[in-house]
Structures are given as C-alpha cells and as structure tokens.
Amino acid sequence: MTEATHVTRTANAAAKSAKSAKAAKSDFSFGIEEEYHLVRLETDELADAPEAFIDACTDAMGDQVSTEFLKSQIEIGTRPHSSFSEARLELAALRTSIATVAREHGLAPVAAGTHPLSRRKGLSPTNSARYAELADALGGAVRRLVVCGMHVHVGLADDDLRIDIMNQARYFVPHLMVLATSSPFWEREATGLKSFRSVILDGLPRTGLPNRFDGFTDYTRTVQVLTAAGVIEDASKIWWDLRPSSKYPTLELRALDVCTDIDDAIAIAATFTCLCRMLHRLRAQNLSWRTYPVFLINENRWRAQRYGVEGSLVDFGRNALVPYSDLLSEILDLIAEDADALGCTAEVAHTRTIVARGTSADQQTRAYDEMVAAGQSSDAALRAVGAHLRTATIAT
C-alpha cells in the first residue's frame, strides 16, 4: 500500500485548495462512545437492568450515559478531547462508574461485541418510543441486536470536507475493524469469525459501507429521498460503518466491536483520527486517496470479520493478499507525521501490540479452545471466558 499506488492528484486544484484552506479550521478533536452488556454478578449471564440502575447511572454520569435497544445494554460517551491520554482517563473513569453503580444492583458491565453466554430469548427492549418504533419497523431482525460496539467521532468542521474524507476513509474501515474484533461467539457457540457482531448488523437496512458522494449536498439530497418518502425521519436512522454524524460536526466510525481493553480502544481511536488528518493533509496538496468500488472494499470487510489480525487483506494496488501485520506497518508509516502532530505516537504504536498478542476475539477463542482441549465442557469454557471479560472490562 504505497502512496504512489493509492494516492492520486485531485482535479480542480484551485477549488480544492480553497476548500482545503477553509477546512484547515478542523482541529481533529475526537470522542469515543462505548456500549456494554450487563450481566448478573453471580452467573455472568445477560440481565435486564432495572429502572433504578438507569436512574443511578444518570445521577452519577449525567448525559454521558444512555440506554440502548435492550435493557441488558448501556452506553457511555466521552466529552470531546484533543489529548488521548486525557481521553483514556475519562474512559476509565466512565467504565469504573458504570461498574460501581452496576455492582449495587448485582450487575456488571462487559465490553465485548457479543457475549459468550448470550441468548436472545428472555431479553427485553428498553421502554421508549424510539425503540418501540425500531422494533415495529425492523421486525425479527432487530431482536438479534444483542451486540455492543464502539463509535469514534472525529471533528471535521466543514460539511464538504467531512464527505470527502468519508469517501476516502472507507478504504481503511476493514483495517480498523480488524483491530477491534471482540465477538467470536453467538448464542453460546463458537462462530469461527472474529467479529460476528458485524454479521448481525448486516441484517439491518442502511448499514455497511456508504457509497461515494460528490459532496454534502449530494449526501443531503440522497437522505432526503428517504425522509420525504417517510421511510426515516432523519439521518440518525442511517447506520453505516462510517457516516457524517447527524448530531455533531464529526465523521463517525461505527464499524467497530467494543474493545475489552481500554488501551486497544484508545489506540484505534488515535489511528482513525490520524488517518483522517493524513487524508486532510493530502487534500491540502491537491492529492487524494484513490477510491475503490464498495464491492472490493466489502471483500476486505468480510476478511476482517472472518480472520482478524491473523489473516490478510487485499491490497488493491498490488492485486494481492497481504498479511495484515504488513499492512498495519504501512499504515503506521503513512500516519507517523500525523501521530506526532496530534501527540499520539505511543497510542498509535499500541496497535502493534494488538496484532502481536491478538484482539479480544483472539484471547477469547484461545481461552475457550484451551479449556475444551483440557477436557472441560463447552459450557464451562464459555463461562470462564465470560468471567474473564467481566474482569478485563474494568481492569483500568
């Protein structure tokens, strides 16, 4: 993945230069949202949280905590940050606060894309008009959403810049998905995939990778087709892997499983932020990352879901499969200047550690396989993995 292969000169240089000057106001601030499963302390099985738990969380964390589709889920969000070390401190504090409140209700949070002991049966949707509407609109597909993800917002003040960066950044979505994989189990079975959460989400409409848009006006016009028809009321019902946030002036990466390890979460957020800055930097030089058909990027997306860090992705410039570890090294070279400028060189370098020791999905699968090989039952192995996830979630 060399720049000579994937970088092209942008047409209409004068216009692009003018837009780049305007877009330079973007400071690449960022924020992180995490969703957690809620389990009973005594069994490690998913449990519906009582209203008193939600009220206590709101008292402790205010608007930084919110409900999710199921009562067995909770979501937190950091404030906007420019320092990754400060973001880590806040993320750790939020996880600790959730765990403290949960403990008072006999519960614990678990950060994983799916839970090894999860079953859809018996779980209840949260009581809200929005979720009731989703349940009605999506039918049985929405009842499979026993999944948790991580979203990373990167501040990009200019509307057209946000779309331009989204068009280019689609290429890197599979590379980032690989690092976050944490959902190898579904319905108490090993799936053979590193991110089964992505398979679940692919069953919903308006998910996956976005198409290319010519600019913010083109994007808005496209969304208006569905809003005018009454299919959706606004762009918040578009759940692409990568989208312009409907709430903030940010580009939102939504493709990631939630990371069990906080340092993994920060490393991935830093890498995505640096990639956005790198693409912005190219734009200022009237250069652009080459865009590829969604069909091709989806092949890498599948390989990311299936094989994770142990696999390979297609380098479209070389027309060859390349080990993920090699591709990551090339990405880190590409964004070295940006990591230095944003003060996150150490955080970005942690992605090498993720590859070397494996993601949460790799660790879960390894622990499960070792216990089964040692003669333990599948149920006992799954429960051991569940206990590990509960402990690791708050190992801050």
Side-chain angles (χ1 to χ4, degrees):
M1 173 196 329
T2 63
E3 286 196 44
T5 302
H6 293 283
V7 176
T8 61
R9 184 152 301 278
T10 305
N12 301 319
K16 289 293 186 180
S17 293
K19 287 189 175 183
S20 293
K22 179 180 179 182
K25 297 178 181 177
S26 295
D27 60 2
F28 300 97
S29 59
F30 64 94
I32 300 170
E33 297 166 346
E34 290 189 324
E35 301 162 352
Y36 310 129
H37 300 285
L38 296 169
V39 300
R40 294 196 186 282
L41 280 170
E42 65 269 23
T43 66
D44 276 317
E45 296 191 14
L46 296 181
D48 288 350
E51 288 294 329
F53 166 73
I54 302 301
D55 293 341
C57 285
T58 302
D59 290 342
M61 287 162 279
D63 63 358
Q64 288 187 268
V65 65
S66 60
T67 56
E68 263 298 319
F69 178 72
L70 292 172
K71 291 181 179 180
S72 61
Q73 298 166 313
I74 195 78
E75 179 178 355
I76 59 88
T78 70
R79 302 297 185 196
H81 284 278
S82 58
S83 164
F84 287 91
S85 59
E86 291 177 5
R88 189 197 185 285
L89 289 173
E90 185 182 24
L91 195 58
L94 289 168
R95 286 195 183 196
T96 299
S97 293
I98 288 286
T100 299
V101 175
R103 194 177 303 114
E104 296 170 357
H105 295 269
L107 302 171
V110 169
T114 57
H115 194 272
L117 297 172
S118 67
R119 289 196 190 281
R120 289 171 287 168
K121 188 175 180 180
L123 299 175
S124 305
T126 298
N127 298 321
S128 81
R130 176 180 173 84
Y131 293 135
E133 181 185 335
L134 281 177
D136 180 64
L138 300 176
V142 79
R143 291 195 291 273
R144 303 173 71 203
L145 289 185
V146 194
V147 296
C148 290
M150 176 175 83
H151 304 162
V152 182
H153 291 257
V154 173
L156 296 167
D158 181 74
D159 290 341
D160 283 321
L161 171 72
R162 209 173 307 131
I163 298 300
D164 188 28
I165 298 297
M166 181 178 78
N167 288 338
Q168 298 177 67
R170 294 176 305 166
Y171 180 91
F172 297 101
V173 167
H175 302 73
L176 294 164
M177 289 176 68
V178 166
L179 295 167
T181 54
S182 67
S183 51
F185 297 102
W186 178 248
E187 294 277 308
R188 301 196 185 207
E189 292 184 0
T191 65
L193 277 70
K194 299 301 175 67
S195 177
F196 198 75
R197 166 186 165 274
S198 303
V199 174
I200 299 299
L201 292 179
D202 287 346
L204 301 180
R206 303 178 296 280
T207 54
L209 291 164
N211 290 322
R212 185 187 181 282
F213 295 96
D214 289 334
F216 193 74
T217 299
D218 184 28
Y219 164 74
T220 302
R221 187 186 302 117
T222 302
V223 173
Q224 285 175 344
V225 172
L226 296 186
T227 57
V231 176
I232 57 175
E233 61 269 25
D234 56 52
S236 69
K237 294 290 182 67
I238 296 172
W239 303 300
W240 293 328
D241 290 345
L242 192 63
R243 71 177 185 182
S245 172
S246 61
K247 190 174 181 181
Y248 309 109
T250 63
L251 182 61
E252 181 185 5
L253 175 64
R254 301 172 50 84
L256 310 173
D257 289 358
V258 65
C259 294
T260 307
D261 186 292
I262 282 186
D263 289 320
D264 292 4
I266 295 297
I268 297 165
T271 302
F272 176 54
T273 306
C274 288
L275 283 167
C276 289
R277 187 182 186 278
M278 181 271 291
L279 295 172
H280 178 274
R281 180 162 51 82
L282 290 179
R283 177 187 171 101
Q285 303 169 54
N286 297 318
L287 299 172
S288 175
W289 198 263
R290 189 183 300 276
T291 58
Y292 293 92
V294 168
F295 170 74
L296 292 179
I297 303 173
N298 269 331
E299 188 63 32
N300 273 346
R301 188 177 180 274
W302 161 249
R303 296 186 66 82
Q305 295 170 240
R306 174 65 177 87
Y307 302 110
V309 297
E310 298 173 341
S312 57
L313 301 181
V314 182
D315 186 311
F316 305 129
R318 304 177 197 176
N319 294 331
L321 284 170
V322 179
Y324 179 77
S325 57
D326 293 348
L327 294 174
L328 178 64
S329 292
E330 294 179 4
I331 287 174
L332 296 185
D333 288 342
L334 282 170
I335 63 173
E337 173 183 336
D338 308 284
D340 181 61
L342 296 176
C344 59
T345 299
E347 286 81 1
V348 166
H350 179 75
T351 57
R352 295 187 189 275
T353 300
I354 298 175
V355 172
R357 58 114 158 99
T359 65
S360 175
D362 296 306
Q363 294 171 325
Q364 292 177 55
T365 302
R366 229 168 11 238
Y368 175 84
D369 289 343
E370 288 172 359
M371 290 196 68
V372 170
Q376 297 291 321
S377 68
S378 176
D379 182 71
L382 289 171
R383 291 186 181 280
V385 173
H388 157 73
L389 289 172
R390 171 172 45 81
T391 302
T393 295
I394 56 172
T396 58

